[in-house]
């Protein structure tokens, strides 16, 4: 283990299974989803207090149990996303297991799945069939392309939707090779929109009494986060390209080289720009018509960058950051993942939490960024489940004997 | 206007102001937020049917009205994010305007603001004061660093949290210059978590009867989307670096050069890898121990990339994509923003919608990726408001005469 883990606050909660109380306490989620988009959504729900029962296929379980990085043969990837969930292995083609699954649905508020559209219908568990049998059940499907449209039944992974959705076309350096966003933003965005759909449907259900079908496509999510790249295309008719490390229409808003390292500076308005120029010892710059307004600065971004960097390269990053901080100019260091997790603000906000592998071995993971008054925001989260770990407890709760019942 | 706009489906709804019915119909949001994180959150809420009343400062209004791209002097950036909202300009230091604001809060379900922590407290509208007066009001604050911790009162923009949160350290090419994710993922992620917090608090309020303080930090959101970069760091103690256009632990999952263009291929498991190798005419590859499992392939990713690309460069992108599609191997083109918006699947899912500038001039924008059965998913959205456009209507609704009342 690294030294960061060693000074982590201790808490005994990693070896309990009860979720911390949250605004979603009392909500039960049956989770058929695998790998990332669906499991990320149910992680967010679990962090907010929902009970998540992960239904895995017997034998191997969630594919991500087999995806690295590993520690002692267990996936840290799986563990970080599935902390605090329960697991039962069910073969949805087996009559006894189908009875268990249906008993779970009978008591559930939400079903989450991220199969390719059409797949689950073959098992008799598509939305139309389930809505008829469980009219209050909210059915959330996260898929690559969604449950409608000509490409609906195609499979997609994060890489495919990052490429097709346009975000790669605006990420990277002009003339440089294709650049993927370094995390699976295709899955994660879809996961967040799935949570928003589920919570909206829960809100609606209080009045309508009816469950809803929530249909979120990873590709749709990529379009939804294109932000002003769409506005630029719509206004000019020209597709924007990558801009390296600067913002397209706010300037200066970029990474700059100091003597020893890069820093970022975001002087988003005229008064911040004046404060910045004072720090840099360039007090005449704001009076120059080429740099007098944000729009002028954006048109002359490269010239401004050159002038600023010539000054910044005369000093060290830490010195400049201290001066910028004192002047109230938003700026910061380029931190790697270890530096980010060790940052005092990140620690103070419980954004680096401790969870555990299925055997109790501790693991650092991201915390819950949704802080809500009146609810716990623990620095630890319950461990991830072993495959089928909760079978006996769940069967007992459902009043079913283990493996002997038939539908 | 570009040709894409010309063939857009026509609909008269852009010139009405009524939101399309949605699961959040009946919810009223008072929105003090500016620029992106807060306004993105309230756009998502409005798209789902909530009524959003934008309270802007007199004179200039939301800062993003002054941020490009512009068309005829109006910001497409502002318009795309604020479609379907109402606007009233209020000076929160003026007694009459404070009375209006407080009357709005009296009827609102949610207040959203993205001021630097402490700012709004000086006006007497911080969470403790408002919770006492309006105990059912949900108060959502999106800020750079959050409402706790040593850096709480510092300002941050997207660029700063992208740098400090670690995502830039895993985006880009090894040894290359710093690379920003090409959209404001720092703001947008915070906006999505803010929506999740608001909807969770709405759910809780049905039982508790109490409003809550939702505190979302942009920096926290960046940590929350680091995904397996944290797992890799936690297991190895080494901070991961950028990987260009490939996934760190799923292989092959990358961009590859064909004769005329790059494509992406995501063969996330062994059977997809076998199908891929058949398409490439490399049937012996899966039997090679260096490439026999995902973990072996990830360890030998560069060697595999070289072998695959040598084959792919013998043909055109479109030809390879057709063959991969036929074989069921997830793959896709690298699309620019124009290509993405024109893609048949994106169009079929209403992800490129038409809204309008305040004067009714049409503008293409991203649609709502949260599709929920039983609710409209319109191809058009109401226009963005002119500053203070709804003053008279809102005052009349509140039973206040225009500008003459005093508290």
């Amino acid at each position: 283990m690294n030294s960061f883990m060693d000074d982590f606050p201790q808490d005994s909660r990693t070896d309990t299974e009860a979720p911390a109380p949250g605004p979603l306490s009392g909500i039960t989620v049956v989770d058929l989803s695998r790998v990332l988009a669906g499991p990320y959504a149910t992680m967010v729900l679990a962090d907010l207090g929902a009970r998540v029962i992960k239904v895995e296929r017997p034998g191997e379980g969630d594919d991500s149990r087999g995806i690295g990085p590993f520690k002692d043969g267990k996936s840290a990837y799986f563990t970080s996303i599935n902390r605090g969930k329960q697991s039962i292995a069910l073969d949805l083609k087996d009559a006894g297991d189908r009875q268990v699954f249906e008993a779970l649905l009978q008591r559930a508020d939400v079903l989450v799945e991220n199969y390719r559209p059409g797949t689950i219908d073959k098992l008799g568990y598509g939305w139309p069939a389930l809505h008829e049998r469980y009219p209050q059940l909210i059915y959330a499907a996260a898929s690559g392309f969604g449950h409608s449209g000509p490409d609906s039944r195609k499979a997609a992974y994060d890489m495919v939707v990052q490429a097709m959705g346009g975000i790669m076309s605006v990420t990277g350096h002009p003339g440089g090779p294709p650049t993927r966003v370094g995390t699976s933003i295709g899955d994660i965005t879809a996961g967040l929109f799935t949570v928003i759909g589920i919570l909206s449907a829960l809100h609606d259900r209080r009045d309508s009494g009816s469950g809803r079908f929530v249909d979120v496509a990873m590709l749709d999510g990529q379009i939804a986060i294109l932000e002003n790249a769409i506005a630029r295309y719509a206004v000019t008719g020209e597709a924007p390209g990558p801009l390296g490390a600067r913002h397209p229409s706010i300037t200066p808003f970029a990474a700059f080289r100091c003597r020893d390292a890069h820093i970022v500076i975001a002087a988003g308005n005229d008064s911040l720009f004046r404060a910045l120029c004072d720090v840099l010892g360039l007090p005449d710059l704001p009076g120059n018509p080429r740099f007098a307004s944000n729009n002028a600065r954006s048109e002359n971004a490269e010239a401004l960058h050159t002038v600023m960097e010539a000054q910044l390269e005369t000093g060290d990053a830490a010195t400049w950051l201290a001066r910028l901080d004192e002047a109230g100019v938003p700026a910061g260091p380029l931190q790697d993942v270890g530096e980010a997790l060790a940052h005092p603000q990140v620690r103070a906000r419980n954004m680096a939490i401790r969870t555990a592998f299925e055997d109790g071995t501790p693991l650092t993971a991201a915390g819950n960024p949704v802080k809500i008054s009146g609810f716990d925001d623990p620095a630890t989260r319950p461990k991830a489940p072993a495959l089928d770990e909760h079978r006996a407890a769940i069967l007992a709760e459902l009043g079913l004997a283990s493996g002997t019942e038939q539908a």
Side-chain angles (χ1 to χ4, degrees), chain A residues 368-380:
Chain A
N368 171 21
V370 184
K371 316 295 187 191
I372 306 184
S373 66
F375 299 104
D376 258 9
D377 179 38
T380 62

Side-chain angles (χ1 to χ4, degrees), chain A residues 51 53 86 88 100 103-104 107 389-405:
Chain A
R51 177 187 184 186
I53 301 170
Q86 297 183 303
I88 183 168
V100 175
L104 282 173
R107 292 157 199 237
E389 178 176 340
H390 301 87
R391 168 176 285 268
I394 289 170
L395 292 184
E397 189 182 340
L398 297 174
L400 297 171
S402 180
T404 59
E405 305 282 328

Side-chain angles (χ1 to χ4, degrees), chain A residues 8 44 105 140 148 198 235 274 276 295 330 346 369 371 374-375 389 395 398:
Chain A
F8 210 91
V44 171
L105 293 182
S148 61
I198 288 168
V235 165
R274 283 191 297 272
L276 165 65
N295 294 318
V346 171
K371 316 295 187 191
F375 299 104
E389 178 176 340
L395 292 184
L398 297 174

Side-chain angles (χ1 to χ4, degrees), chain A residues 29-280:
Chain A
V29 180
V30 172
D31 184 7
L32 278 175
S33 70
R34 299 124 331 122
V35 190
L36 190 51
Y40 192 90
T42 59
M43 177 190 76
V44 171
L45 295 170
D47 281 357
L48 290 166
R51 177 187 184 186
V52 177
I53 301 170
K54 202 171 164 68
V55 175
E56 302 186 72
R57 60 188 168 134
E60 298 184 353
D62 186 334
D63 311 67
S64 69
R65 291 183 182 271
I67 299 175
F70 298 101
K71 183 175 168 62
D72 301 335
K74 299 297 177 195
S75 168
Y77 181 58
F78 171 83
T79 300
S80 63
I81 302 293
N82 290 285
R83 79 270 185 110
K85 303 177 187 174
Q86 297 183 303
S87 170
I88 183 168
L90 296 177
D91 175 358
L92 296 185
K93 292 177 179 165
D94 174 85
D97 279 1
R98 287 176 69 91
Q99 185 189 16
V100 175
F101 183 63
E102 290 165 20
L104 282 173
L105 293 182
Q106 187 68 48
R107 292 157 199 237
D109 299 285
V110 183
L111 173 68
V112 177
E113 56 98 343
N114 60 351
Y115 285 102
R116 203 187 293 211
T119 307
I120 198 171
D121 300 70
K122 292 179 194 156
L123 296 166
Y125 295 136
W127 159 248
L130 291 190
H131 186 49
E132 195 173 322
R133 287 184 65 180
Y134 314 103
Q136 297 207 347
L137 181 71
I138 292 162
Y139 184 123
S143 60
F145 294 107
H147 281 250
S148 61
D151 292 342
S152 173
R153 302 220 167 185
K154 289 187 186 175
Y157 284 79
D158 177 79
M159 191 78 211
V160 175
V161 299
Q162 283 204 25
M164 293 181 68
I167 200 168
M168 286 180 69
S169 75
V170 294
T171 300
H173 287 265
T179 304
R180 175 179 181 265
V181 177
T183 73
S184 295
I185 200 71
D187 283 278
I188 291 171
T189 304
L192 294 176
F193 281 118
T194 300
V195 172
I196 289 170
I198 288 168
L199 297 179
S200 297
L202 275 171
H203 176 79
D204 164 75
R205 192 178 70 171
R206 298 263 197 156
D207 300 316
S208 72
S210 177
R212 302 284 182 183
F213 181 57
V214 176
D215 164 21
V216 171
M218 290 167 65
L219 181 61
D220 292 357
Q222 293 306 98
I223 301 294
I225 64 169
L226 282 181
E227 193 225 345
N228 80 11
I230 295 185
R232 280 179 282 153
Y233 174 72
V235 165
T236 66
E238 283 173 30
L243 287 172
R246 76 171 175 89
H247 191 280
S249 44
I250 304 176
T251 309
F253 202 95
F256 296 88
R257 193 194 322 267
C258 300
R259 185 156 56 200
D260 55 336
H262 282 86
I263 63 172
V264 295
I265 299 174
N269 61 43
D270 291 344
S271 63
L272 288 173
F273 182 61
R274 283 191 297 272
L276 165 65
C277 291
D278 286 344
V279 171
L280 294 180

